[in-house]
Amino acid sequence: MADVLVTRQFRPPTEAALLSLAVAACYYAAGRLGLLGRLVVEGVVVTPIWPPTGVAVAALLLLGARVWPGIALGSFLVIASLTTPGLTTVVTVVSNTAAPLCAFLLLRQIGFRLDMARLRDGLSLVFLGGFGAMLISSTAGVGLHVATGSLDKREFWAVWLAWWAGDTMGVLLVAPLLLVLAGPAGRFRMRRWKEAVALGLATLVLVPLAVFSPMSLLFLVFPLLVWAALRFQLAGSVLCALFASVLTTAEATSGKGAFLHLSDVEIMVKLQAFNGSASLTALLLASVITEQRAIRRSVRRACEELAEVLEHLAAGEPSPGPPGTTGRRTASPGGHRDP
């Protein structure tokens, strides 16, 4: 066992370098996708959903802290694709790397499970990995704009809130999906495929109807999220929430549908309120359902073991011990033990 631990602890540097390059490529690709749905708040470009933060947190949870150079490299490449790198780029890259690292350390400290089969795991990802750790990147990023004079101090909080919400939504929507796909729960099964098809069709019909309608019917999305969480747990609810959030973000950037005749700030507030509500509903409800199902399975196994013990006792046989052990030999009525 010690040899295995040593082998896992000291990986070859080449493997860590290759993993970091893979993380950097995923981070950059996610960043380019996130920039497709950018908005302008007080003259500063922000993204309602910033997928790289979710990619970074998931990569750290799955691969360990050794891939942090890939996060830094990916962040630098995204910035370099938008503007000429300068001294301020260093601050942005450091903050974009420090925020996911902080989320990883906080989650590891409290015993976060990658399968997110407990309510405490969902709450930890929301309040520590999302709301808490992303304060670093948003504060450093907006503070840098104020320090360089590109943003007025009076506009700090509006831009800061939009920046922080975008980074947080990336963690709440993207990271759980990557964790599900990387774990055993990500191996899709064919059970209840008819219901899965029905849920998919309902999502493809109702979500565009809710988003594109100028009557603001976004509330129609939440029954779908409840259905997906109850029947398909985290995999179904996160996919449904991500699809709804991406479609809503695309419509918000064009100022149409439910976001018609709204100012830039009103669009950002309404969009982030919907994205936050959808992600929290999907994540926390799925965690509760998964935890309850695990408890029911444990109770069922305990009842089956108890019934087996009672059957043996009723038949006058020694009760079976734990798996891998043998039952104790009983003494005969004459005081001699059976051979």
Side-chain angles (χ1 to χ4, degrees):
M1 184 63 180
D3 294 338
V4 176
L5 292 177
V6 170
T7 302
R8 290 181 178 178
Q9 184 176 3
F10 299 101
R11 300 273 187 173
T14 52
E15 182 179 356
L18 291 176
L19 289 175
S20 297
L21 289 176
V23 170
C26 293
Y27 190 103
Y28 176 78
R32 298 304 300 176
L33 288 176
L35 290 172
L36 297 178
R38 53 190 171 184
L39 292 172
V40 178
V41 178
E42 303 294 347
V44 178
V45 176
V46 295
T47 54
I49 303 175
W50 186 236
T53 56
V55 172
V57 171
L60 290 170
L61 289 172
L62 293 171
L63 304 175
R66 56 186 175 148
V67 298
W68 71 264
I71 300 173
L73 178 59
S75 177
F76 174 80
L77 293 177
V78 172
I79 297 173
S81 67
L82 298 175
T83 183
T84 303
L87 294 178
T88 57
T89 305
V90 178
V91 179
T92 305
V93 170
V94 170
S95 63
N96 289 344
T97 306
L101 268 175
C102 180
F104 165 70
L105 294 175
L106 290 173
L107 292 174
R108 188 180 64 173
Q109 184 68 27
I110 64 166
F112 178 81
R113 293 183 182 177
L114 298 182
D115 57 3
M116 299 183 63
R118 303 173 300 175
L119 177 60
R120 61 176 293 184
D121 297 324
L123 292 174
S124 300
L125 185 64
V126 171
F127 290 101
L128 296 180
F131 292 167
M134 295 305 114
L135 294 173
I136 299 174
S137 56
S138 58
T139 303
V142 182
L144 183 62
H145 282 279
V146 174
T148 56
S150 59
L151 182 67
D152 191 85
K153 293 181 180 179
R154 295 172 297 179
E155 301 169 345
F156 175 87
W157 290 111
V159 179
W160 178 89
L161 181 61
W163 194 308
W164 172 76
D167 287 353
T168 302
M169 288 303 103
V171 174
L172 301 187
L173 290 172
V174 178
L177 180 61
L178 295 178
L179 293 178
V180 167
L181 294 177
R187 301 176 189 137
F188 297 101
R189 299 177 181 178
M190 293 304 295
R191 295 184 303 174
R192 298 197 304 270
W193 66 270
K194 293 182 180 180
E195 185 178 2
V197 171
L199 175 61
L201 292 177
T203 302
L204 292 176
V205 172
L206 290 180
V207 171
L209 175 64
V211 173
F212 298 148
S213 174
M215 294 184 291
S216 189
L217 300 176
L218 294 176
F219 58 88
L220 292 176
V221 174
F222 291 93
L224 296 174
L225 296 177
V226 174
W227 180 9
L230 289 175
R231 301 297 292 166
F232 302 99
Q233 286 76 61
L234 197 62
S237 62
V238 171
L239 277 173
C240 186
L242 182 61
F243 174 70
S245 296
V246 169
L247 201 63
T248 306
T249 300
E251 191 70 359
T253 55
S254 62
K256 300 178 181 178
F259 302 90
L260 190 64
H261 305 307
L262 297 180
S263 65
D264 292 339
V265 176
E266 291 173 338
I267 289 175
M268 193 68 187
V269 171
K270 185 175 183 178
L271 175 61
Q272 294 296 18
F274 171 78
N275 287 342
S277 301
S279 61
L280 289 177
T281 300
L283 188 58
L284 298 183
L285 183 57
S287 297
V288 170
I289 298 300
T290 303
E291 185 175 28
Q292 288 182 347
R293 290 197 172 192
I295 293 174
R296 284 201 299 268
R297 286 193 297 266
S298 299
V299 172
R300 188 182 301 114
R301 285 195 298 266
C303 292
E304 292 174 354
E305 293 175 0
L306 180 59
E308 185 179 355
V309 171
L310 293 176
E311 288 178 1
H312 284 280
L313 292 176
E317 301 175 358
S319 60
T325 62
T326 58
R328 295 181 178 177
R329 297 185 179 181
T330 58
S332 61
H336 300 285
R337 294 185 180 274
D338 296 335

